mmCIF file of all heavy atoms in Angstrom:
data_model
loop_
_atom_site.group_PDB
_atom_site.id
_atom_site.type_symbol
_atom_site.label_atom_id
_atom_site.label_comp_id
_atom_site.label_asym_id
_atom_site.label_seq_id
_atom_site.Cartn_x
_atom_site.Cartn_y
_atom_site.Cartn_z
ATOM 1 N N GLY W 62 -0.864 6.404 -7.614
ATOM 2 C CA GLY W 62 -1.804 5.561 -6.957
ATOM 3 C C GLY W 62 -2.905 6.350 -6.221
ATOM 4 O O GLY W 62 -2.567 7.548 -5.798
ATOM 5 N N ALA W 63 -4.019 5.710 -6.157
ATOM 6 C CA ALA W 63 -5.083 6.482 -5.359
ATOM 7 C C ALA W 63 -5.203 5.786 -4.047
ATOM 8 O O ALA W 63 -4.582 4.629 -3.791
ATOM 9 C CB ALA W 63 -6.345 6.356 -6.053
ATOM 10 N N GLN W 64 -5.803 6.427 -3.000
ATOM 11 C CA GLN W 64 -5.964 5.795 -1.691
ATOM 12 C C GLN W 64 -7.132 4.909 -1.439
ATOM 13 O O GLN W 64 -7.138 4.282 -0.337
ATOM 14 C CB GLN W 64 -5.950 6.981 -0.674
ATOM 15 C CG GLN W 64 -4.737 7.849 -0.811
ATOM 16 C CD GLN W 64 -4.860 9.150 0.180
ATOM 17 O OE1 GLN W 64 -5.669 9.102 1.086
ATOM 18 N NE2 GLN W 64 -4.059 10.110 -0.057
ATOM 19 N N ASN W 65 -7.992 4.913 -2.361
ATOM 20 C CA ASN W 65 -9.237 4.119 -2.151
ATOM 21 C C ASN W 65 -10.008 4.196 -3.463
ATOM 22 O O ASN W 65 -9.831 4.964 -4.328
ATOM 23 C CB ASN W 65 -10.148 4.889 -1.056
ATOM 24 C CG ASN W 65 -11.294 4.022 -0.681
ATOM 25 O OD1 ASN W 65 -11.407 2.792 -0.824
ATOM 26 N ND2 ASN W 65 -12.378 4.753 -0.351
ATOM 27 N N MET W 66 -11.090 3.335 -3.598
ATOM 28 C CA MET W 66 -12.077 3.319 -4.758
ATOM 29 C C MET W 66 -13.190 2.622 -4.333
ATOM 30 O O MET W 66 -13.307 1.993 -3.238
ATOM 31 C CB MET W 66 -11.378 2.799 -5.925
ATOM 32 C CG MET W 66 -10.921 1.381 -5.736
ATOM 33 S SD MET W 66 -10.643 0.419 -7.221
ATOM 34 C CE MET W 66 -12.178 -0.338 -7.366
ATOM 35 N N TYR W 67 -14.236 2.761 -5.096
ATOM 36 C CA TYR W 67 -15.480 1.967 -4.830
ATOM 37 C C TYR W 67 -15.637 0.840 -5.941
ATOM 38 O O TYR W 67 -15.054 1.011 -6.999
ATOM 39 C CB TYR W 67 -16.758 2.852 -4.836
ATOM 40 C CG TYR W 67 -17.997 2.101 -4.290
ATOM 41 C CD1 TYR W 67 -17.926 1.549 -3.001
ATOM 42 C CD2 TYR W 67 -19.147 2.062 -5.102
ATOM 43 C CE1 TYR W 67 -18.928 0.892 -2.488
ATOM 44 C CE2 TYR W 67 -20.258 1.354 -4.475
ATOM 45 C CZ TYR W 67 -20.162 0.715 -3.206
ATOM 46 O OH TYR W 67 -21.247 0.104 -2.611
ATOM 47 N N PHE W 68 -16.236 -0.327 -5.708
ATOM 48 C CA PHE W 68 -16.214 -1.474 -6.510
ATOM 49 C C PHE W 68 -17.147 -1.364 -7.742
ATOM 50 O O PHE W 68 -17.022 -1.985 -8.787
ATOM 51 C CB PHE W 68 -16.467 -2.774 -5.891
ATOM 52 C CG PHE W 68 -17.738 -2.897 -5.204
ATOM 53 C CD1 PHE W 68 -18.835 -3.472 -6.011
ATOM 54 C CD2 PHE W 68 -17.996 -2.564 -3.938
ATOM 55 C CE1 PHE W 68 -20.090 -3.680 -5.468
ATOM 56 C CE2 PHE W 68 -19.279 -2.675 -3.340
ATOM 57 C CZ PHE W 68 -20.391 -3.294 -4.179
ATOM 58 N N GLU W 69 -18.245 -0.481 -7.516
ATOM 59 C CA GLU W 69 -19.260 -0.322 -8.675
ATOM 60 C C GLU W 69 -18.612 0.489 -9.819
ATOM 61 O O GLU W 69 -17.685 1.265 -9.657
ATOM 62 C CB GLU W 69 -20.479 0.318 -8.128
ATOM 63 C CG GLU W 69 -21.278 -0.457 -7.116
ATOM 64 C CD GLU W 69 -22.058 -1.610 -7.789
ATOM 65 O OE1 GLU W 69 -22.011 -1.931 -9.012
ATOM 66 O OE2 GLU W 69 -22.799 -2.383 -7.040
ATOM 67 N N GLU W 70 -19.176 0.273 -10.923
ATOM 68 C CA GLU W 70 -18.638 0.989 -12.134
ATOM 69 C C GLU W 70 -19.035 2.536 -12.190
ATOM 70 O O GLU W 70 -18.273 3.360 -12.685
ATOM 71 C CB GLU W 70 -19.002 0.327 -13.484
ATOM 72 C CG GLU W 70 -18.117 -0.869 -13.720
ATOM 73 C CD GLU W 70 -18.563 -1.750 -14.861
ATOM 74 O OE1 GLU W 70 -19.230 -1.139 -15.744
ATOM 75 O OE2 GLU W 70 -18.152 -2.889 -14.897
ATOM 76 N N SER W 71 -20.312 2.713 -11.903
ATOM 77 C CA SER W 71 -20.909 4.160 -11.954
ATOM 78 C C SER W 71 -22.299 4.017 -11.340
ATOM 79 O O SER W 71 -22.743 2.995 -11.006
ATOM 80 C CB SER W 71 -20.993 4.501 -13.381
ATOM 81 O OG SER W 71 -21.917 3.725 -14.053
ATOM 82 N N GLY W 72 -22.776 5.230 -11.127
ATOM 83 C CA GLY W 72 -24.181 5.217 -10.630
ATOM 84 C C GLY W 72 -24.469 6.115 -9.337
ATOM 85 O O GLY W 72 -23.596 6.958 -9.058
ATOM 86 N N ALA W 73 -25.426 5.805 -8.630
ATOM 87 C CA ALA W 73 -25.904 6.563 -7.507
ATOM 88 C C ALA W 73 -25.084 6.270 -6.258
ATOM 89 O O ALA W 73 -25.608 5.535 -5.297
ATOM 90 C CB ALA W 73 -27.379 6.440 -7.256
#
Side-chain angles (χ1 to χ4, degrees):
Q64 299 172 20
N65 183 33
M66 54 164 267
Y67 196 53
F68 67 88
E69 294 283 2
E70 280 174 21
S71 63

